[in-house]
Amino acid sequence: MPSQQFAEEYDSHESLQDQYFDAYADLGVHRVMLADAPRMSFYRQILTCEAVVRDRVVVDVGSGTGVLSIWAGRGGARHVFSIEASSLSLAQAQVIDDNKLSDKITLLSETVEDIVAEGVASFIATHEALLRGCGVSLIVSEWMGFYLLHEGMLPSVIRARNFFAEVNAKLGILCPIEMVPERATIRVAPINCAAYYEERYRKFWGGVEGVDLSRYGKMEFETQLEATNPLIDTVPSACLLHEGATVAELELTSLPEDAVKSLCRVIHFNLCDSAAFRRHFGATQPASVAVDGFTVWFEVHFRAWSLNTSPCCPPTHWKQTTILLPATARAEQLVAFTSPEATLDVELRLLATDAALRCYSIEFELK
Ligand code: SAH
């Protein structure tokens, strides 16, 4: 049966770690994140809520521009440790000062891994006055990448969680550590590309200042379809043939560090039973439906708050990650549905391709 797989690679001339932190020294990257309204709203609502942050010692893992630390500081945190390893932390020190929070926020300009290597005793000795009588009880981080796991920052967040649990234990403080977000879910749905073509290509090329250039639109679309990388773009909700099945649900307060090395799941999509499928086709059930590929997205949660990057929700900078079936399978409509009882059975595998878990190969196998 047709299957499709993709792996991504970083430039092999530089160490992965250097490339990673160099990328985050670029303010353009932070601008994109700061302009992402659903992302900002999720974290702002949580970190400016007194019931969440008041009087707690908060750790912001990978604080970037410092925006989350500043919200937590303003939200009434007892103290905030802001950890940032890229060179942006040089400016962040000034920004904390500009926002008059220098007494509330301690900036640690190093990697989580360096802090862990220095050890619990060293951390306590340096910061004892700030930790006396209360341990770290809230870890906040915006670690999510495309399809949740790309970039591989999650293991660093788990290392920070385990480290601060040890700090608390050493101080004799038994407070549990809450995580923001506390739960993350990866979802996948089969798609048909017609609405994507219509939205992204035909609308633009079909009438450029009154001239029909739709032939170029078809060519551009075909080039896009033949690309070997996953397509990172917003998929119109009209493409969905299913509202999405769960690939993995991660509980961040207990997740082990190596849990995201490989995630595999066999999914049975019952298309005709799905609301998205009925929305797609209305009352008339089609004789057959061509599946062009699969799109992957994620949701994260904390208490009643959630951030959902589904095609049905307002778009975010994560967009969706789409893997198309091989051209021959699409052209011949190998994956088509002719009976309402038929299920689409597929195995999805997300497999880390490097030791730091920064890159993954995404494989779909139709069963
Ligand atoms: N919290 C900011 C930035 C999120 S981007 C915001 O929400 O706008 C993630 C940031 O984490 C980047 O700035 C990156 O440099 C930092 N980071 C990633 N892994 C890290 C690690 N292991 N130690 C320290 N910082 C890290």
Side-chain angles (χ1 to χ4, degrees), residues 17 20-21 23-25 29-30 33-34 39-40 43 60-69 71 83-88 108 110-115 140-144 151-153 156-157 159 358:
Q17 185 83 340
Y20 182 74
F21 289 115
Y24 275 117
V29 171
H30 291 275
M33 293 188 285
L34 296 171
R39 179 193 99 103
M40 296 300 274
Y43 282 97
D60 178 0
V61 177
S63 51
T65 54
V67 64
L68 307 186
S69 290
W71 275 335
I83 304 176
E84 175 55 48
S86 78
S87 58
L88 202 62
L108 307 172
E110 54 189 328
T111 62
V112 166
E113 290 67 22
D114 287 341
I115 295 171
V140 58
S141 184
E142 201 281 73
W143 52 266
M144 296 85 78
E151 283 184 34
M153 190 177 154
S156 293
V157 178
R159 277 173 218 133
R358 297 231 184 268

Side-chain angles (χ1 to χ4, degrees), residues 100-219:
K100 305 191 174 39
L101 284 165
S102 300
D103 57 337
K104 275 262 172 233
I105 303 177
T106 299
L107 176 60
L108 307 172
S109 304
E110 54 189 328
T111 62
V112 166
E113 290 67 22
D114 287 341
I115 295 171
V116 171
E118 284 151 25
V120 168
S122 157
F123 189 87
I124 293 176
T126 317
H127 304 289
E128 193 168 10
L130 299 168
L131 294 164
R132 199 172 298 136
C134 69
V136 170
S137 61
L138 192 66
I139 292 183
V140 58
S141 184
E142 201 281 73
W143 52 266
M144 296 85 78
F146 297 131
Y147 57 86
L148 191 71
L149 298 179
H150 185 67
E151 283 184 34
M153 190 177 154
L154 179 56
S156 293
V157 178
I158 295 170
R159 277 173 218 133
R161 181 200 69 199
N162 295 345
F163 176 80
F164 287 106
E166 268 188 62
V167 167
N168 289 353
K170 195 91 171 177
L171 290 167
I173 294 160
L174 293 171
C175 80
I177 298 180
E178 266 195 303
M179 308 286 288
V180 177
E182 62 192 353
R183 189 157 45 88
T185 311
I186 304 177
R187 293 203 195 278
V188 62
I191 57 163
N192 176 281
C193 277
Y196 180 71
Y197 172 70
E198 174 66 22
E199 194 62 19
R200 288 278 181 284
Y201 295 88
R202 208 205 55 79
K203 260 192 195 155
F204 175 79
W205 292 100
V208 179
E209 311 262 345
V211 182
D212 177 6
L213 300 178
S214 52
R215 186 170 296 274
Y216 297 123
K218 281 202 181 115
M219 287 162 63

